Amino acid sequence: MVTTAQDLVTRCRTNINEPSGQTDPLRSDVEIIQWLEDGVHDYMSKVPAEAFPSMQTGKTFSTSSCTLPTDFLKLIVVVVDHTMSGSGTSTVTMSDKAYMLRSDENWLAANWPVGPGAWAQFQGNSILVGPQPSGGTVTYLKKPGTLSTSSSTFDLPSQHEEPIVNYATAMALGKVNDTDAERYLTSYNMRIQAEKTKYGDSLVETK
């Protein structure tokens, strides 16, 4: 069964004891949907990518750089195909998981020794790679569909609905200075920590 933004709004309104249909609500559905959208992005930026297998995808490239896809959210890994000298005049093609350089580590990128190992580096809207690349693959976490209307689809697996609802609930309660906001925010943060513990707090990068 597909979960929509309206389904999550209804759950949030139950938490804040403000059901739909009131003539003068303290929080509008538009506000709650925006808090849900904010929650999705906050949650996905903090939880390891392994928690979202259905949201993982990749892009291959055949040059020394890869333009970031429009649905790019968070980097998982870059694998670089590159060449190194073999015996005599032959060359050997290798595929290595890239070490991520900071955007200001240009000297290291320019002087990386040719051989085993590879590097990658965010530069603007692209990822540069080396040494002597012939291509590779960028594996990343893609953005879910935007929650903008009541009919918008919630793209994450159902087990992630509760923390997103808790986030929106905390924002809705915080708007009216309700002290219960802290309780829901604590539940949200505890879930993030539980996901990190489950997957070993994997290292991922957000662009």
Side-chain angles (χ1 to χ4, degrees):
M1 181 177 178
V2 175
T3 299
T4 66
Q6 186 58 54
D7 296 325
L8 302 182
V9 168
T10 299
R11 290 170 60 178
C12 182
R13 286 199 171 281
T14 297
N15 290 342
I16 64 178
N17 195 28
E18 187 178 86
S20 299
Q22 294 193 17
T23 56
D24 190 22
L26 298 176
R27 306 85 158 179
S28 68
D29 282 2
V30 172
E31 286 179 300
I32 294 175
I33 290 173
Q34 183 60 58
W35 287 322
L36 291 167
E37 171 71 2
D38 293 343
V40 168
H41 285 276
D42 185 79
Y43 183 71
M44 292 187 73
S45 73
K46 295 174 179 176
V47 170
E50 288 86 348
F52 314 104
S54 63
M55 303 301 292
Q56 295 181 28
T57 188
K59 178 182 178 180
T60 58
F61 57 95
S62 58
T63 60
S64 61
S65 68
C66 177
T67 301
L68 294 177
T70 56
D71 62 351
F72 181 92
L73 178 64
K74 184 162 60 177
L75 178 65
I76 299 175
V77 67
V78 179
V79 173
V80 179
D81 302 329
H82 60 116
T83 57
M84 59 179 291
S85 298
S87 59
T89 59
S90 66
T91 58
V92 178
T93 299
M94 302 187 68
S95 295
D96 287 306
K97 177 181 176 180
Y99 174 79
M100 292 303 302
L101 300 177
R102 297 192 310 270
S103 59
D104 60 350
E105 291 185 298
N106 296 323
W107 184 92
L108 188 54
N111 293 279
W112 191 283
V114 176
W119 59 267
Q121 181 184 52
F122 282 112
Q123 287 291 344
N125 198 41
S126 298
I127 295 178
L128 308 184
V129 299
Q132 298 184 342
S134 58
T137 304
V138 173
T139 303
Y140 64 97
L141 202 63
K142 64 183 179 180
K143 298 175 183 177
T146 302
L147 298 178
S148 56
T149 67
S150 60
S151 60
S152 298
T153 300
F154 183 73
D155 286 344
L156 302 186
S158 59
Q159 64 265 31
H160 300 298
E161 294 175 10
E162 180 183 6
I164 304 307
V165 170
N166 284 342
Y167 180 94
T169 298
M171 297 302 105
L173 291 171
K175 181 186 177 182
V176 296
N177 298 318
D178 190 314
T179 56
D180 273 348
E182 185 63 32
R183 176 166 63 89
Y184 281 97
L185 194 58
T186 296
S187 295
Y188 171 73
N189 288 325
M190 287 177 64
R191 177 58 180 274
I192 290 173
Q193 188 55 53
E195 294 291 335
K196 288 182 176 180
T197 300
K198 180 179 179 181
Y199 294 103
D201 200 6
S202 302
L203 294 176
V204 287
E205 293 196 27
T206 304
K207 176 58 178 158

